Amino acid sequence: MSTSGESCPTLARPAIATGSVAVSAPRRRSFRLRPTAAFAGTALAFVAVALAVGAPSPLFVLYQQEWGFPSWLLTVAFAIYAVTLLITLLVAGSLSDHIGRRPVLVGALALQVAAMLMFLFSRDIGAIIAARSVQGVATGAAMSTFTAALVELAPERQKKLGATIGSTAPVGGIALGAFFTGLAVQFTSQPTTLVFVTLALLFVAGILVVLASPETVAARPGALRSLTPRLFIPRAARGEYVAALPLFLATWMLAGLFIGLSPSILHGVFHLDSGILNGAIVAVPPAVGAIAGLVLTRAPARTTTIWSMAAIMLGIALTAVGIAAGLLPVLFAGAVVAGAGFGAGFSAMLRIIAPLAPNDQRAELFAGVFLVSYLAYGVPALAAGELIGVIGILPTALGYAAAIAAAAAVAMVVQIVRLARAVRGDAEAAAQPELTPRR
């Protein structure tokens, strides 16, 4: 009965018993972002993951100067991230295809927060290596899942935009992370605190975005079985995946050269120890690459892969000349040209591959892509770090540049052959109706 004496309609709400009185419970509605906001927020969270990848690079030289450890440990600190990321991709790369995108992303972002706090409180190179290991696990769990989620959250008519952002977000984020850290080193008294606290807060915000975003994949059996280390590429994507291997090798070896070795090149070849320069040389290739990938979204993907490999060969040649002759402007010019090829080529290849896998196998496909990419990113850089102590920084850097150019040349030939086959196939298909006799 209403206390005001007026009748009121009966509402179908659940009642909660409190003693002898039944109290109506308010209906709970969980907050959900609109699709466009969820897509944008997920992209920004992915950028934050990449920010954290690039951020430590300009700090490693500072750590070495302060703690006095040998250069090969600096390379281990760089490479351990790639190793743990690769292991995670093999073990958990397809987990989100079974339990959903959101649980994996929340767990990965929480691990990122833990890694940032480990960096913040590190007092020796062993602690840095441990932090990079945790970061590698977190990034490995997030990488393929974020890329798949972006394709699925993208507006229906712009699915290629999801693949483009999935490929350019990590590239652009690495650039921003390295550059902002370089600025922090140059202009603040406590760069580590500023960098890692800011990143930890960004990851907390990313967790909130993921929790408020819709799930794009229904849970299905096989989650435990999916944790068996394996590399599985959906049948429809296998031909393109194999053909893309030289391109993945060229693009991510290039990333490893600039992100992993360029601060050592500036120190050992040019005798420069500037926070801004360290951040800039790491940031330039991925920054230009992200812009190129976005600008060329509507360009024919196959043609873009061919021209991008030519750009890498030209850019790496300029880079080698700059290093050998001690010409810093030429080194930066090479970084710009090669970086454009990196971003444009990798983005175009993902645009070709992404539509070839169904939703429930897409994370597994991207796990295969990033597995090869990060092998190319980490293993050559680790080998180069060992060679620096044996033959010196200059021969090592020039040999690394030659290997990148060779991989890019092979990739360009492979893509030219596939383009020619596609053109020939289209011509035969167009001629087919004319060859069919009329009845």
Side-chain angles (χ1 to χ4, degrees):
M1 179 180 294
S2 172
T3 55
S4 62
E6 298 175 1
S7 62
C8 62
T10 302
L11 300 179
R13 293 182 179 176
I16 301 175
T18 57
S20 59
V21 181
V23 180
S24 294
R27 183 179 297 167
R28 294 184 177 181
R29 297 181 61 185
S30 59
F31 176 76
R32 282 285 178 266
L33 291 172
R34 292 186 176 183
T36 302
F39 176 68
T42 301
L44 291 175
F46 196 12
V47 170
V49 172
L51 279 171
V53 175
S57 293
L59 295 172
F60 285 166
V61 175
L62 291 183
Y63 293 145
Q64 186 177 26
Q65 292 172 352
E66 182 178 350
W67 298 333
F69 53 84
S71 295
W72 67 269
L73 276 177
L74 190 68
T75 309
V76 170
F78 163 76
I80 194 67
Y81 159 81
V83 171
T84 52
L85 183 147
L86 291 171
I87 294 171
T88 306
L89 280 174
L90 279 174
V91 173
S94 64
L95 182 61
S96 72
D97 286 338
H98 296 271
I99 68 172
R101 310 295 185 217
R102 292 170 64 207
V104 173
L105 290 178
V106 169
L109 292 171
L111 271 181
Q112 292 282 9
V113 173
M116 296 307 104
L117 295 178
M118 291 173 69
F119 275 121
L120 181 62
F121 294 108
S122 292
R123 294 295 178 264
D124 55 44
I125 188 61
I128 293 295
I129 291 173
R132 286 289 276 180
S133 300
V134 174
Q135 185 185 25
V137 172
T139 307
M143 190 70 70
S144 60
T145 307
F146 262 123
T147 309
L150 284 170
V151 172
E152 292 152 8
L153 288 170
E156 192 59 39
R157 295 183 179 180
Q158 296 179 320
K159 291 300 181 183
K160 288 185 178 180
L161 177 63
T164 299
I165 293 179
S167 63
T168 57
V171 176
I174 289 171
L176 291 173
F179 185 67
F180 286 148
T181 299
L183 291 178
V185 168
Q186 192 73 27
F187 296 113
T188 66
S189 58
Q190 294 184 323
T192 55
T193 300
L194 177 62
V195 168
F196 295 121
V197 169
T198 300
L199 287 170
L201 292 175
L202 286 175
F203 290 132
V204 171
I207 291 173
L208 297 178
V209 167
V210 171
L211 289 173
S213 298
E215 178 57 73
T216 57
V217 173
R220 62 186 176 95
L224 289 178
R225 189 169 60 252
S226 75
L227 298 178
T228 303
R230 65 172 187 164
L231 174 62
F232 176 80
I233 304 300
R235 184 178 299 276
R238 288 175 189 173
E240 288 292 357
Y241 178 82
V242 172
L245 292 179
L247 184 145
F248 295 149
L249 187 65
T251 51
W252 285 91
M253 280 181 68
L254 177 74
L257 173 66
F258 281 97
I259 296 172
L261 294 187
S262 58
S264 297
I265 291 171
L266 287 181
H267 176 76
V269 176
F270 295 92
H271 309 294
L272 295 172
D273 292 305
S274 165
I276 290 181
L277 283 178
N278 282 338
I281 194 63
V282 172
V284 164
V288 176
I291 294 170
L294 289 172
V295 168
L296 296 174
T297 299
R298 297 184 180 277
R302 186 76 65 189
T303 304
T304 301
T305 62
I306 295 169
W307 283 106
S308 68
M309 293 303 99
I312 285 180
M313 287 188 285
L314 175 59
I316 207 66
L318 289 172
T319 299
V321 170
I323 294 172
L327 299 174
L328 192 60
V330 177
L331 171 61
F332 270 91
V336 170
V337 176
F342 167 36
F346 186 63
S347 174
M349 202 67 246
L350 286 197
R351 282 192 281 131
I352 293 171
I353 288 179
L356 301 179
N359 276 16
D360 61 358
Q361 294 181 347
R362 188 166 287 128
E364 197 156 26
L365 170 62
F366 287 130
V369 170
F370 286 112
L371 177 71
V372 172
S373 298
Y374 273 88
L375 275 172
Y377 171 78
V379 173
L382 183 59
E386 296 296 323
L387 286 174
I388 288 173
V390 178
I391 64 176
I393 182 66
L394 183 58
T396 300
L398 294 179
Y400 201 148
I404 294 170
V410 172
M412 185 168 70
V413 171
V414 170
Q415 295 304 316
I416 288 173
V417 170
R418 292 192 74 82
L419 177 62
R421 287 179 180 175
V423 171
R424 186 167 60 249
D426 290 343
E428 291 174 355
Q432 192 66 33
E434 299 177 8
L435 298 176
T436 303
R438 295 181 180 179
R439 294 184 179 180

